[in-house]
Amino acid sequence: MSENADPAEINRPIAIVILAAGHGSRMQSSTPKVLHEIGGLTMIGHVIKTAQALSPAHCICVVGAGGEAVSEAATRYAPEITIARQDPPQGTGDAVACAMPALENFTGVVVILYADTPLVTERTISTLANASANGVAVLGFKPDVPGAYGRLKTDHTGALAAIVEAKDATPEELEIPMCNAGLMAFDGEFLRQALPQLTNDNAKGEYYLTDLVAIATADGRSATIIEAPATDVIGVNSKHELAVAERLFLARAREKTQAAGALLIDPDTVYFSYDTIIEQDVRIEPSVYFGPGAAVREGATIKAFSHIEGADIGPGASIGPFARLRPETTIGSGAKVGNFVEIKKTSLSENAKVSHLTYLGDADIGASANIGAGVITCNYDGYDKHKTTIGEAAFVGSNTALVAPVTVGRGAYVGSGSVITKNIDDNALAVGRGRQTQIDNWAMKFRRSKGEAD
């Protein structure tokens, strides 16, 4: 689900450098920081997805030592991306320098993004790029608590004079409200010339990309501040911050979904993924979760406590409550999936009904078929999956087990409680259960044998 809208057109060719070399020790996880997910997509995936929407001439991802998993993820999202390596880590200026060989002949604007800043929008990036002119543009924001953020120091005209890291700032500089979000845009020619001028004479002993601002102003080039909402530039360094970013992502997704014409009865209890599609006049009841790959078409209803992932739900269909739709499932228009039904890798055609307490896996269900309560498709033999086909307008009685591979013909009936192991012809009745017998007075004799009185 895209959170970005109407990005401004970028007036020059653009190259994007994504910095992803940090170790992320504060995340307290064996998973690399930027591979943690927000809305079902890794943080680096969000940044690459946004970068791709701007059609850059080049996209380079800078990874650190042991960054194979990050490299693999980046190339999976964008096969054309260039991977650069920074080893050992020596600061952001050094990281960008590691990307410069891939931009040797590039003329245009170079935008620096961070793989742990996943909520930046296309509009924010394009505005930043257009402001870089022949020098540098820096993205700023005003947090409630500036804390350890670098401060954006201006001159007497209000132009950006320098970026001062918090550890190197004076008490007066720490009072500056405008902070550095980290994202920057540079004229490509200036960046190529200025990077070798960086030094590591600072508290951390690193090469700061932010020092390029002072180099630009000393060279008579422009240095501009673009202010962004704090929600665009939140950085994620811990599990707590990951949860904060998730909440911000969901707030955007809920607002966008409602603006597109869907009805969310209790928006704060509905969870979306990055690629969820919700069309006009969809009605979503409380406590619904959409995992990746879900689409709900016009006029459908999703009832409370349903879990939907990798499923496409047709117009006017009704799902739930307490339904689970798993990947590779398609629900036809007007179809009904009721409470405590699980469906996986199944096509449910238009106006078919699966009302309650049923499992359908690896199946094709024909139009207007009726699947009774407690029906299951026995699709797995311990080694392989097998398919069940149920024809149009067929009726499968309650508590039936369909042992795949098996076909129920068009218009056929299956008696309740059956175990079906053979194909059923069109319009036939099949009953696969033991014949009922009765032994008179057996219960009374049994109770007597246990010492009970009549």
Side-chain angles (χ1 to χ4, degrees), residues 111-441:
V111 176
I112 312 301
L113 304 180
Y114 289 80
D116 61 0
T117 306
L119 300 185
V120 63
T121 65
E122 296 164 34
R123 174 167 286 280
T124 292
I125 296 172
S126 57
T127 302
L128 182 69
N130 285 335
S132 61
N134 70 333
V136 55
V138 175
L139 201 64
F141 73 115
K142 294 178 179 177
D144 293 335
V145 181
Y149 290 108
R151 305 304 202 268
L152 300 186
K153 188 175 182 179
T154 56
D155 62 20
H156 67 282
T157 68
L160 178 61
I163 303 177
V164 183
E165 297 296 327
K167 287 187 176 181
D168 301 315
T170 66
E172 292 76 16
E173 290 168 336
L174 289 174
E175 294 298 320
I176 297 172
M178 185 69 76
C179 293
N180 178 28
L183 285 69
M184 304 176 75
F186 298 93
D187 173 75
E189 180 184 358
F190 163 70
L191 182 62
R192 194 174 294 110
Q193 295 172 356
L195 277 171
Q197 301 179 48
L198 291 177
T199 71
N200 62 351
D201 183 19
N202 52 61
K204 287 186 176 181
E206 294 182 347
Y207 296 91
Y208 290 157
L209 190 66
T210 51
D211 287 347
L212 293 182
V213 171
I215 294 173
T217 55
D219 195 34
R221 294 177 179 268
S222 63
T224 305
I225 299 173
I226 297 296
E227 185 175 355
T231 52
D232 274 16
V233 297
I234 179 173
V236 176
N237 296 293
S238 66
K239 297 287 178 58
H240 171 72
E241 290 172 349
L242 187 70
V244 172
E246 181 81 25
R247 287 196 295 272
L248 292 171
F249 164 81
L250 287 169
R252 289 181 181 178
R254 292 161 181 158
E255 182 178 356
K256 181 179 175 64
T257 299
Q258 293 174 98
L263 174 62
L264 276 57
I265 303 301
D266 186 2
D268 288 345
T269 67
V270 179
Y271 292 80
F272 296 105
S273 290
Y274 74 100
D275 60 350
T276 306
I277 298 171
I278 307 292
E279 293 187 349
Q280 183 175 316
D281 290 327
V282 167
R283 185 178 190 271
I284 302 175
E285 293 183 359
S287 299
V288 173
Y289 179 89
F290 294 98
V296 186
R297 308 301 173 181
E298 185 171 354
T301 297
I302 312 298
K303 295 185 178 181
F305 297 100
S306 294
H307 187 290
I308 298 162
E309 181 175 2
D312 194 312
I313 299 166
S318 176
I319 308 297
F322 296 98
R324 184 183 181 196
L325 303 187
R326 292 168 57 192
E328 299 184 64
T329 291
T330 59
I331 306 298
S333 61
K336 178 182 178 182
V337 176
N339 51 290
F340 303 106
V341 172
E342 179 180 356
I343 302 181
K344 167 253 176 189
K345 200 176 181 180
T346 289
S347 173
L348 188 69
S349 297
E350 60 272 13
N351 298 315
K353 294 181 180 179
V354 189
S355 294
H356 26 237
L357 301 164
T358 291
Y359 170 73
L360 299 178
D362 299 273
D364 281 341
I365 313 298
S368 300
N370 191 310
I371 311 300
V375 172
I376 60 170
T377 57
C378 306
N379 55 327
Y380 184 51
D381 63 8
Y383 297 93
D384 300 301
K385 298 292 182 70
H386 301 281
K387 188 172 183 178
T388 299
T389 302
I390 299 175
E392 180 181 345
F395 183 96
V396 180
S398 298
N399 291 325
T400 292
L402 300 164
V403 183
V406 70
T407 296
V408 177
R410 183 180 183 275
Y413 268 66
V414 179
S416 296
S418 294
V419 177
I420 301 300
T421 60
K422 298 179 181 178
N423 293 344
I424 302 171
D425 292 337
D426 292 353
N427 297 308
L429 168 65
V431 180
R433 61 179 182 238
R435 185 180 297 276
Q436 180 174 320
T437 61
Q438 177 173 307
I439 302 174
D440 292 338
N441 297 316

